Amino acid sequence: MDTVFFVVCDGIGDRPIAELGRKTPLEAAKTPNLDKLAQMGISGAMHVIDPGVKPGSDTAHLALLGYDPKVYYTGRGPFEVAGIDMQIEPGDVCFRVNMSTVDSKLMVIDRRAGRIGDTGEFADLFNGTEIDGAKFLLKKATAHRLGMILRGKGLSSEVTGSDPKAVNIKVKKSKPKDDSAEAKYTAEVLNKFLEMAHEKLKELKSNKQREKEGKLVANYMLIRGAGVYPEIPSFKEKYGLTSVCIAGAGLYKGVGKVLGMKVVEVKGATGKPDSDLRAKVKKALELKKNYDFLFLHFKGADSLGEDGDYKGKVKFIEKIDKAIKPLVSLKRALVVVTADHSTPCGLKDHSGDDVPVMITSDQVRDDDVRHFNERECAKGRLGHIRAAYLMPIILDLMGLAQKFGA
Ligand code: ZN
């Protein structure tokens, strides 16, 4: 059976950019290796959720891996929390947390507290706090982030968070999203916790020191993404395949954990544009003989798209191209390259545009596509598909599809 290399280039899709002669970064980049794969395989244009739907990275990854997010997605919190190895129990409500800076009227000045580097101190300060029978568990995540679990009886994930998602706006109070006593109780304990935390953070020694140094203080917790642990079949249960997740950023490791994949740490995999992509590919090649499905995630193009940095995005795409070179000459392998969504530099946000997708194996009836990019792939044999079709097509090429009928 072929081993699947499932490469997701986060946010790689884009729109025409005037400065690039109306090319997209993927069209402007020199990508001889991606192009070679496109020549060997079949390509298409893919709607990750549905045409015109702007996917989040979390729902998009579920969809790419064949899990309908409308069935299985319960919020971002559980994936973030799983990604930093917090142990989740049934009934837990999970959140993602940003350390932020607010003024004396609780107006948000900076949603990331000057991108404060280490949140371990805050996790230690509040981990284990109990309010009205509910327990707060916190652990530091990357940069200004933390994961938070709310544990206890009678909790609900049907609550809003405190993050207004913009600056110069007052922090929000958590509110119940339905009429249940559970949602009301959960919102109440969250608001008590946030208020208590703010009072403590204001007086914190390290914040006084930051103030003295003219730095932004970390004096408020912006929480969002409330969700319960999803009841979801593992990748092995669903497809009978052993799988590995190789990613730098927490969310994608979280998706791998939740689906029961083996999440492998790779030195130098940062989840940022400086990430060591070659090391990730090398690790995947090492694991080829022991696993059926290798999920490789490259984050950088998405972050550069969100910064509007089209030159940086072109460069990062060329970095991906160099890193995946060993995949071009692989034997007994099925290589898939695609994206979870487009992140147009002009938009600095995700968009609902389709993404390029290609599948290379010695089983495919190859097409005339010569370059891996948005416009060329759309002319390929795969045509226009939804991500929901991707795993069935892969399984069929592996000879694992179940017959429909007799
Ligand atoms: Zn994404």
Side-chain angles (χ1 to χ4, degrees):
M1 192 171 69
D2 286 356
T3 305
V4 181
F5 286 75
F6 192 86
V7 181
V8 179
C9 309
D10 206 300
I12 203 173
D14 213 296
R15 291 176 177 172
I17 293 173
E19 290 86 344
L20 297 176
R22 287 198 58 76
K23 286 181 177 174
T24 66
L26 193 50
E27 289 168 333
K30 286 193 182 57
T31 55
N33 297 306
L34 288 165
D35 292 348
K36 214 168 274 172
L37 286 170
Q39 288 158 25
M40 289 156 57
I42 46 173
S43 299
M46 187 163 72
H47 295 286
V48 178
I49 310 277
D50 268 318
V53 173
K54 179 165 93 173
S57 287
D58 43 12
T59 52
H61 274 79
L62 288 177
L64 287 176
L65 295 164
Y67 292 83
D68 184 350
K70 288 175 188 123
V71 175
Y72 294 112
Y73 183 65
T74 62
R76 180 144 174 170
F79 298 103
E80 293 281 352
V81 165
I84 52 169
D85 269 333
M86 292 181 83
Q87 297 306 315
I88 309 172
E89 293 179 7
D92 285 351
V93 183
C94 311
F95 298 85
R96 53 197 302 224
V97 181
N98 271 16
M99 291 310 301
S100 71
T101 312
V102 300
D103 69 11
S104 58
K105 292 184 178 117
L106 298 182
M107 301 284 274
V108 177
I109 295 168
D110 189 302
R111 289 181 58 249
R112 301 177 183 94
R115 286 197 185 267
I116 192 162
D118 188 341
T119 57
E121 177 193 7
F122 312 111
D124 293 345
L125 187 60
F126 298 115
N127 186 39
T129 302
E130 280 197 52
I131 295 175
D132 299 342
K135 193 166 183 178
F136 290 79
L137 302 169
L138 289 105
K139 186 171 173 183
K140 77 168 186 169
T142 43
H144 52 276
R145 301 183 191 91
L146 300 125
M148 182 171 92
I149 293 175
L150 187 51
R151 181 169 293 167
K153 282 202 181 82
L155 294 166
S156 167
S157 61
E158 290 303 308
V159 290
T160 61
S162 58
D163 189 352
K165 297 189 181 135
V167 290
N168 299 321
I169 300 181
K170 205 172 161 184
V171 298
K172 296 210 179 305
K173 278 210 180 293
S174 176
K175 286 191 183 127
K177 289 204 261 185
D178 62 26
D179 295 333
S180 68
E182 288 82 3
K184 190 168 169 263
Y185 162 65
T186 306
E188 275 170 14
V189 293
L190 281 171
N191 287 325
K192 282 185 190 173
F193 173 75
L194 292 171
E195 214 170 288
M196 177 279 294
H198 178 51
E199 291 307 316
K200 274 201 178 171
L201 288 166
K202 275 198 294 192
E203 301 308 320
L204 198 65
K205 237 192 197 166
S206 61
N207 268 334
K208 299 259 183 222
Q209 184 62 29
R210 271 181 207 104
E211 212 164 2
K212 244 190 234 164
E213 292 168 10
K215 289 182 183 161
L216 288 166
V217 296
N219 63 2
Y220 207 88
M221 291 178 142
L222 297 179
I223 59 167
R224 60 193 163 123
V228 292
Y229 204 66
E231 271 182 48
I232 194 163
S234 72
F235 203 77
K236 179 92 181 88
E237 282 166 341
K238 195 168 165 69
Y239 301 118
L241 300 175
T242 53
S243 57
V244 170
C245 164
I246 301 174
L251 171 65
Y252 312 96
K253 290 184 199 168
V255 170
K257 283 251 164 71
V258 169
L259 300 183
M261 293 179 166
K262 165 106 181 136
V263 179
V264 178
E265 296 293 334
V266 175
K267 202 166 164 254
T270 60
K272 293 186 229 155
D274 68 357
S275 191
D276 189 345
L277 310 186
R278 280 176 202 263
K280 287 171 150 177
V281 173
K282 189 166 168 253
K283 179 58 86 178
L285 292 168
E286 281 167 24
L287 295 167
K288 178 178 183 282
K289 59 179 183 304
N290 299 324
Y291 291 91
D292 305 318
F293 189 96
L294 302 149
F295 161 41
L296 270 159
H297 182 266
F298 300 144
K299 176 74 178 165
D302 175 56
S303 317
L304 293 159
E306 286 190 335
D307 291 343
D309 181 359
Y310 63 88
K311 284 184 191 157
K313 193 166 173 180
V314 170
K315 261 197 202 142
F316 188 78
I317 291 167
E318 292 178 345
K319 182 173 165 176
I320 292 177
D321 186 76
K322 289 196 181 89
I324 58 105
K325 189 169 186 221
L327 304 188
V328 177
S329 50
L330 275 181
K331 299 273 177 286
R332 303 290 301 155
L334 191 151
V335 179
V336 181
V337 183
T338 190
D340 57 342
H341 50 78
S342 296
T343 308
C345 294
L347 205 61
K348 298 186 174 182
D349 192 5
H350 299 185
S351 74
D353 295 296
D354 54 70
V355 297
V357 55
M358 69 177 166
I359 304 174
T360 304
S361 96
D362 59 10
Q363 298 296 312
V364 297
R365 299 182 294 207
D366 49 318
D367 56 25
D368 295 330
V369 174
R370 290 289 168 268
H371 300 282
F372 180 70
N373 62 50
E374 299 88 339
R375 275 180 272 224
E376 280 298 307
C377 286
K379 299 175 190 163
R381 175 180 287 282
L382 268 176
H384 289 245
I385 59 170
R386 289 177 66 229
Y389 300 136
L390 187 57
M391 279 306 296
I393 292 169
I394 293 169
L395 292 171
D396 183 46
L397 286 168
M398 294 173 83
L400 298 174
Q402 301 286 326
K403 194 179 280 174
F404 177 60

